Amino acid sequence: MSAAATSAREPLLASFRAVVGPRHVLTGDQQTRRFRKGHRTGEGRVLAVVQPGTLLEQWQVLQAAVAADCIVIMQAANTGLTGGSTPDGDNYERDIVLISTRRLDGVQLINQGEQVVCLPGATLDRLERELAPLGREPHSVIGSSCIGASVLGGVCNNSGGALVRRGPAYTELALYAQVQADGSLTLVNHLGIELGESPEEILTRLQQGDYSPAAVRNEAAKASDAGYSEHVRDVDADTPARFNADPSRLFEASGSAGKLCLFAVRLDTFVKEPSTVFYIGSNDPQDLTDLRRYLLTSLPSLPIAGEYIHRTAFDIGERYGKDTYLIIDRFGTAKVPTAFALKSRIDGLFERVGLRGVSDRIIQKLMDLLPSHLPERMREYRDRYEHHLLLRVSNDVAEQTREHLRGFFVSRDSGSYFECDEDEGRRAFLHRFAVAGAAIRYREVHRKEVEDIVALDIALRRNDRDWVESLPPELEQDMVHKLYYGHFFCHVFHQDYIVRKGVDPLAMEHRMWALLDERRAEYPAEHNVGHLYVAKPALADFYRELDPTNSFNPGIGHTSRQRGWGECCGGHEGETG
C-alpha cells in the first residue's frame, strides 16, 4: 500500500483506532507481515490489520470497513495451508482490511459441558484444555491443534481432523454478520441462544456470558456431523467419505471459507475414552487395505484414529520437523503459536535486507546436532517397513483388535505390529503431525535445489483399494521428494511434492489434478480451496449465496475478485465456478 493511498484512507484508519486503540491497528509491510503472509502459501498487501478486543469492537470495525467499500478478510490463527485467510497477491480492486480475531479467544461451556460456544479467536488447544477437567474433548484434538489452529477456522473450512468417528467440523448454530445484496450489514443470530435484539445487546451479552441456561434452546439444529460414523463404515461406497465441496456439509458458517464474518459457533463436545495405540508396519499396501476394511466394519466401536505415514515422510519429518516436535513435547501445544510469531518477526527483519530463510537454516543446523528424538521401536520399523499405520482404538475394543492383529500377521512376512506403551503412543502421533510442516522447512533449507512445494490433500473413494499413487516417469523426474501421509480410515491423504529447481510448480499441480480426476478423487479434502484450488460449481454458488456483493475474501477458490462478482470464475476440466 503506497503512502499516498494510506494517507487517503486516514479517516478510516482513525475510526479503527478510535474503536480498538492505536496499538491494535497495524499498517505498513513490516508490522503486518505475520498476518498477511500465509503459513505455507499466500501473501499480499493490506491497508491495515485490525485486532478487536471485544465482539462489539469487531462489529464496529466491520461496519466501518463495509461502509468504506473495503474488502474484509477475517483471520484467526493464520495456520491454513492453502492461503485462505490472507491476501493472494496485490491485484485487488479495493483496499483490504484484515481483521485478526486472536484477542477474542473466549470459550463458554453450556449444557453441562456437552456443548460449547467458541468466540472467533478460540483455539483447539484452548478448548481441549477447558474440556479436560470434564473428561470431554472437542471435535479435533490432534493434528492442526498442534500449531494453534482456531475452532472457527475449522468450521469455516469443514476441516476433518484425524478422529475417525467425527468427520468434518460442522454446525448449524452460529452467530455471524452478512453483507446483503443492497450492501447493508446484518447480524444473524442462529446460535440458538436468546441474547436480545440489537447487535450491540447481542454481542455484549454473549461476550460477557450474560445468559441463563433457560436462554439456551436445544432444538433440532445440529452442532456436529452426527451421521459420519456410519458414513465412513461404508467401505464399499464409490464416493469419498468427506471433501470440502460436499453440498451436504455446506450450511451458513460451515464451509463458508471467510464469506461471512463469524462471531461465535456452537459445537458438540465428546467423551474422552481410554485408548490403546498399535504401531503397524508393512511392505505390502494390501495389508493396510485389508486391515482398514476389517477395522471399519467389524469392530463394535470405530477406531479413534488411524494415521498413515510413508517411509519418506517419516524421514523428512524426523529431521525437518524435529523442532516442532520438541517444542510441543517439552512445552505443550499452547507455545507453538508464540514460537511461530517470533520466527515470523525474525524472518521479516532478514527479508528487509534481502535474506530469506535465515531462521530456518539456523534452526535446522541446531536440530541436526541433536540425536533422534523418536522411540527405538519406531526407528526399527522405519528400517524394516515402507508403510506405517498408527492405530488408536478405545479400550473396549482393544482386545478384539489385538487378537485380530496377532492372527493377521501370523501367516504374513510382509508386515508386523507392536503395542505401544503410553509414551510411545503419544510420541508416534506427535511425529505424524510434525511431518505436516516438515516440507516447508525442507524447502527453506534447500532453496538452491528446490523450486517450491505442491501440496495436495485428496479424498479417495471409500471402496478404492488402489490407494498407493503411481506417477508417470516424466513427473517423477521433476520431484526431489514425495511425502505421503494422512487419515487412512477416511481415505484422506496429504501429498506434498517437493519440486526440483527450475520446474514450474503451478504446471505440475495442474498435471496432478488431471491424474486425480482420472482416479475420481475429490480435492481438496479438508484444507479447503484457499487460493490454490478451483472451487467447484456447487461450492462457488454457495459462496455467492453467502456474500452477494463479494465483500468478504474475494478470489477464494479462483472465483472473481471484483465487486458484485464481476466476471466469474476460474475452472478446469470443463468446469466453471
Side-chain angles (χ1 to χ4, degrees), residues 88-132:
D88 182 57
D90 298 325
N91 56 332
Y92 294 86
E93 64 176 1
R94 294 161 284 170
D95 292 334
I96 297 174
V97 174
L98 193 155
I99 300 178
S100 170
T101 63
R102 293 169 66 170
R103 297 174 65 204
L104 301 170
D105 62 349
V107 170
Q108 300 171 5
L109 305 181
I110 60 174
N111 292 336
Q112 293 78 50
E114 293 184 5
Q115 289 189 324
V116 64
V117 174
C118 292
L119 303 192
T123 63
L124 285 167
D125 175 81
R126 164 79 185 275
L127 180 55
E128 188 177 350
R129 286 185 280 118
E130 292 280 347
L131 292 172

Side-chain angles (χ1 to χ4, degrees), residues 422-444:
E422 185 175 351
D423 186 61
E424 284 176 320
R426 181 183 64 83
R427 287 174 175 269
F429 275 92
L430 180 49
H431 175 56
R432 154 63 185 90
F433 295 107
V435 168
I440 302 172
R441 168 64 52 72
Y442 188 100
R443 176 187 65 189
E444 296 306 317

Side-chain angles (χ1 to χ4, degrees), residues 441-473:
R441 168 64 52 72
Y442 188 100
R443 176 187 65 189
E444 296 306 317
V445 172
H446 297 279
R447 275 286 172 186
K448 292 181 179 179
E449 300 87 34
V450 173
E451 187 68 33
D452 208 341
I453 302 166
V454 170
L456 302 176
D457 70 296
I458 71 166
L460 298 182
R461 292 166 293 155
R462 283 168 282 173
N463 66 351
D464 199 338
R465 296 170 183 261
D466 188 19
W467 54 271
V468 176
E469 184 175 65
S470 177
L471 295 176

Side-chain angles (χ1 to χ4, degrees), residues 94 259 547-552 554-555 560-565:
R94 294 161 284 170
K259 302 302 287 183
D547 183 19
T549 65
N550 207 17
S551 298
F552 292 111
S560 171
R561 300 186 180 208
Q562 298 178 21
R563 183 187 296 103
W565 293 89

Side-chain angles (χ1 to χ4, degrees), residues 19-33:
V19 172
V20 303
R23 65 176 294 202
H24 297 301
V25 179
L26 309 178
T27 58
D29 288 351
Q30 185 61 26
Q31 271 195 320
T32 60
R33 179 191 182 277

Side-chain angles (χ1 to χ4, degrees), residues 61 104 106 109 129 143 150 237 246 290 304 356 358 371 373-374 402 405 407 414 420 439 477 541 577:
V61 167
L104 301 170
L109 305 181
R129 286 185 280 118
S150 72
D246 184 349
D290 293 345
I304 294 172
R356 177 173 175 173
V358 173
H373 51 286
L374 298 180
R402 189 179 294 117
L405 289 174
S414 53
C420 297
Q477 68 183 10
D541 288 345

Side-chain angles (χ1 to χ4, degrees), residues 244-544:
N244 285 132
D246 184 349
S248 69
R249 296 188 176 95
L250 301 176
F251 185 89
E252 296 182 355
S254 298
S256 58
K259 302 302 287 183
L260 298 171
C261 176
L262 298 192
F263 289 86
V265 297
R266 177 174 162 186
L267 297 163
D268 290 332
T269 68
F270 304 87
V271 174
K272 185 174 184 178
E273 298 182 72
S275 62
T276 300
V277 174
F278 298 92
Y279 196 102
I280 300 163
S282 178
N283 290 316
D284 185 353
Q286 186 62 42
D287 288 346
L288 302 193
T289 298
D290 293 345
L291 285 172
R292 171 182 174 269
R293 293 178 66 85
Y294 171 83
L295 293 166
L296 285 178
T297 59
S298 299
L299 291 183
S301 300
L302 277 174
I304 294 172
E307 292 297 297
Y308 170 75
I309 313 176
H310 184 266
R311 178 187 278 154
T312 303
F314 185 109
D315 291 345
I316 299 291
E318 181 179 15
R319 182 175 177 188
Y320 296 93
K322 184 183 292 187
D323 57 313
T324 299
Y325 178 106
L326 293 176
I327 289 172
I328 298 170
D329 189 42
R330 304 293 169 83
F331 303 108
T333 58
K335 298 297 182 183
V336 176
T338 302
F340 279 11
L342 176 60
K343 179 180 178 297
S344 179
R345 291 191 186 98
I346 294 171
D347 287 341
L349 291 172
F350 280 112
E351 286 177 10
R352 291 178 71 181
V353 294
L355 298 174
R356 177 173 175 173
V358 173
S359 67
D360 285 287
R361 289 193 292 272
I362 292 173
I363 291 169
Q364 195 56 49
K365 285 185 179 299
L366 293 173
M367 292 300 103
D368 286 345
L369 297 175
L370 301 178
S372 176
H373 51 286
L374 298 180
E376 182 178 351
R377 288 202 287 183
M378 280 179 62
R379 288 185 281 116
E380 177 193 344
Y381 266 49
R382 179 265 166 225
D383 294 337
R384 291 171 58 188
Y385 302 116
E386 180 180 1
H387 305 285
H388 299 243
L389 178 64
L390 286 55
L391 171 65
R392 183 184 296 276
V393 299
S394 52
N395 283 349
D396 62 325
V397 294
E399 183 56 34
Q400 181 177 341
T401 305
R402 189 179 294 117
E403 287 298 318
H404 183 75
L405 289 174
R406 186 180 296 127
F408 186 84
F409 285 112
V410 161
S411 59
R412 306 182 187 216
D413 57 9
S414 53
S416 188
Y417 78 98
F418 65 86
E419 185 171 336
C420 297
D421 60 32
E422 185 175 351
D423 186 61
E424 284 176 320
R426 181 183 64 83
R427 287 174 175 269
F429 275 92
L430 180 49
H431 175 56
R432 154 63 185 90
F433 295 107
V435 168
I440 302 172
R441 168 64 52 72
Y442 188 100
R443 176 187 65 189
E444 296 306 317
V445 172
H446 297 279
R447 275 286 172 186
K448 292 181 179 179
E449 300 87 34
V450 173
E451 187 68 33
D452 208 341
I453 302 166
V454 170
L456 302 176
D457 70 296
I458 71 166
L460 298 182
R461 292 166 293 155
R462 283 168 282 173
N463 66 351
D464 199 338
R465 296 170 183 261
D466 188 19
W467 54 271
V468 176
E469 184 175 65
S470 177
L471 295 176
E474 61 270 21
L475 268 177
E476 289 272 9
Q477 68 183 10
D478 289 341
M479 300 175 184
V480 179
H481 289 297
K482 301 173 298 179
L483 278 64
Y484 297 108
Y485 53 98
H487 315 308
F488 189 67
F489 290 108
C490 302
H491 255 197
V492 168
F493 292 89
H494 303 300
Q495 303 180 171
D496 295 344
Y497 307 96
I498 301 176
V499 181
R500 201 173 298 280
K501 197 71 173 178
V503 175
D504 182 354
L506 184 59
M508 175 179 284
E509 183 167 15
H510 289 176
R511 290 157 73 192
M512 298 299 303
W513 287 352
L515 293 176
L516 292 172
D517 290 340
E518 290 176 9
R519 297 176 71 187
R520 295 171 56 200
E522 289 283 354
Y523 53 95
E526 62 176 6
H527 290 160
N528 219 336
V529 290
H531 289 286
L532 296 184
Y533 297 91
V534 174
K536 292 190 174 182
L539 189 57
D541 288 345
F542 177 63
Y543 293 159
R544 284 195 292 269

